[in-house]
């Protein structure tokens, strides 16, 4: 659909409209409960801000907004592999794109409706010319968003093939924080992790809340735990509850990137809802797998004299 068709079919006065930014179509939400922005490329949630609160998602001010280029920040969707492609000659004699093809393909908006304070949106993606060239031609994806005072994200994968489908997946969520030096993360204390910054060495559980002190890229396998990001600077806690995800990834580059400014890493931390590595999903023929993340905000109770 073009912009006019999107607005005609799915627009909701004073709540949901569609426009174009840097050549990419996007949905703009301005409901009484929250504001949000979703790009159709990648079904990429770039902004979510409950009314009266600071933005909850981090977006790089240097991010590329170009067709076929990944967006830095928000919630990139990784599928059908996480991080580097394990197949060296998947596409034109080279590995496929980092984090797969789903985040650089245009998705289709198939549903939009307001229910109370919550806006429900569903985006879908099926086989494309690019996915077929990479060997994925019998799958369907649906990304459902429930946007309101809290945020629910559900990624459904359907296997239309007669054989099992193996894939990795992630909601690679960038959270906005006041200063990463003043952040602690709870929920992962009892879990060991793969340290990608130290030659993928497996390291034992720390049994204390995580505080970042340098370049961090940790894969925590075999965990379904709820995580909480305690932000001392913004005086708030971001809680991430998940379902059907057995891996959590924590990431901060601790430096400038080509599409992230020299000081922007201070303002973000990724706590990702993932199935990857030893947690790769093997989906039976004609079956569906649904992974969910629910994000909510809370603030410390003020002490009364």
């Amino acid at each position: 659909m073009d912009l006019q068709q999107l607005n005609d079919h799915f627009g909701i006065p004073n709540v949901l409209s569609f426009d174009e930014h840097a050549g990419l179509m996007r949905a703009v939400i301005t409901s009484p409960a929250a504001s949000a922005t979703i790009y159709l490329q990648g079904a990429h949630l770039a902004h979510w801000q409950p009314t009266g609160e600071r933005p909850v998602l981090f977006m790089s001010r240097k991010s590329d907004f170009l067709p076929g280029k990944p967006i830095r920040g928000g919630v990139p969707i990784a599928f059908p592999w996480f991080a580097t492609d394990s197949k060296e000659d998947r596409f034109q004699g080279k590995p496929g794109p980092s984090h797969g093809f789903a985040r650089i393909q245009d998705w289709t908006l198939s549903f939009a409706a307001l229910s109370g304070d919550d806006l429900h949106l569903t985006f879908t993606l099926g086989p494309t010319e690019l996915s077929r060239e990479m060997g994925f031609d019998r799958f369907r994806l649906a990304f459902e968003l429930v946007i309101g005072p809290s945020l629910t994200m559900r990624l459904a994968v359907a296997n239309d093939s007669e054989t099992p489908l193996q894939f990795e997946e992630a909601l690679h969520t960038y959270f906005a924080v006041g200063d990463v030096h003043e952040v602690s993360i709870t929920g992962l204390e009892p879990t060991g992790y793969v340290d990608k910054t130290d030659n993928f060495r497996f390291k034992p559980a720390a049994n204390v809340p995580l505080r970042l002190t340098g370049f961090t890229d940790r894969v925590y396998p075999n965990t379904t735990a709820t995580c909480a990001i305690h932000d001392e600077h913004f005086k708030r806690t971001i809680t991430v509850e998940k379902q059907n995800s057995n891996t959590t990834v924590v990431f901060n580059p601790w430096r400038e990137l080509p599409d992230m400014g020299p000081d922007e890493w201070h303002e973000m931390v990724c706590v990702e809802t993932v199935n990857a590595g030893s947690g790769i999903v093997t989906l039976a023929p004609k079956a569906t797998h649904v992974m969910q993340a629910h994000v909510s905000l809370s603030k410390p109770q003020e002490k009364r004299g």
Side-chain angles (χ1 to χ4, degrees):
M1 292 186 180
D2 60 24
L3 285 176
Q4 185 64 52
Q5 291 171 321
L6 284 168
N7 279 298
D8 289 345
H9 282 77
F10 296 110
I12 302 173
N14 302 315
V15 173
L16 174 62
S17 62
F18 300 86
D19 66 14
E20 189 175 282
H21 173 248
L24 300 179
M25 289 193 292
R26 63 183 184 177
V28 179
I29 292 94
T30 54
S31 78
S35 61
T37 306
I38 306 108
Y39 288 84
L40 271 65
Q41 177 172 284
H44 193 120
L45 178 62
H47 171 71
W48 170 58
Q49 182 176 5
T51 300
E53 304 291 346
R54 296 175 182 271
V56 181
L57 302 178
F58 164 85
M59 272 297 302
S60 169
R61 292 179 287 277
K62 286 183 64 180
S63 180
D64 294 315
F65 290 96
L66 296 169
K69 293 273 286 186
I71 297 169
R72 174 71 69 180
V75 189
I77 296 174
F79 177 88
W81 53 83
F82 179 77
T84 303
D85 185 10
S86 62
K87 194 171 187 296
E88 295 184 355
D89 60 347
R90 188 181 302 273
F91 182 63
Q92 298 179 352
K94 299 178 181 179
S98 176
H99 291 306
F101 53 76
R103 67 176 182 161
I104 56 173
Q105 297 283 277
D106 287 336
W107 292 51
T108 299
L109 178 61
S110 60
F111 180 83
L114 190 65
S115 176
D117 289 337
D118 295 328
L119 180 66
H120 294 248
L121 297 167
T122 302
F123 298 84
T124 59
L125 179 70
T128 65
E129 182 178 348
L130 180 63
S131 78
R132 291 187 180 97
E133 289 186 44
M134 296 185 186
F136 290 84
D137 62 351
R138 301 294 300 277
F139 73 93
R140 285 175 291 128
L141 302 180
F143 186 45
E144 181 185 356
L145 292 161
V146 183
I147 296 168
S150 62
L151 170 68
T152 300
M153 301 179 285
R154 298 186 189 99
L155 180 63
V157 182
N159 179 12
D160 290 339
S161 176
E162 302 297 331
T163 58
L165 172 66
Q166 277 201 330
F167 62 90
E168 296 176 311
E169 59 182 345
L171 300 173
H172 192 315
T173 311
Y174 289 71
F175 289 104
V177 296
D179 186 336
V180 72
H181 300 89
E182 299 180 44
V183 164
S184 63
I185 299 169
T186 54
L188 300 170
E189 293 91 335
T191 308
Y193 61 94
V194 175
D195 190 346
K196 294 176 71 173
T197 73
D198 189 14
N199 295 314
F200 289 78
R201 289 187 171 90
F202 188 84
K203 297 186 176 178
N207 294 307
V208 295
L210 172 60
R211 284 189 175 271
L212 279 62
T213 58
F215 174 32
T216 302
D217 195 354
R218 298 183 178 188
V219 179
Y220 291 83
N222 304 314
T223 178
T224 60
T226 294
C227 289
I229 303 167
H230 306 277
D231 186 339
E232 298 165 14
H233 187 88
F234 282 163
K235 295 180 172 58
R236 69 182 186 182
T237 296
I238 302 169
T239 300
V240 185
E241 303 171 81
K242 61 181 192 167
Q243 296 178 13
N244 289 334
S245 159
N246 58 24
T247 312
T248 295
V249 174
V250 178
F251 170 74
N252 183 293
W254 221 256
R255 62 183 175 89
E256 181 178 6
L257 299 174
D259 54 356
M260 182 185 290
D263 298 317
E264 288 191 297
W265 59 266
H266 290 262
E267 305 168 17
M268 56 74 61
V269 63
C270 289
V271 176
E272 308 170 35
T273 300
V274 183
N275 286 305
S278 61
I280 191 170
V281 177
T282 301
L283 189 60
K286 310 306 179 184
T288 301
H289 171 86
V290 181
M291 181 178 72
Q292 174 176 301
H294 179 76
V295 182
S296 58
L297 280 181
S298 61
K299 295 182 178 181
Q301 295 293 320
E302 292 184 5
K303 295 181 180 180
R304 296 184 179 180

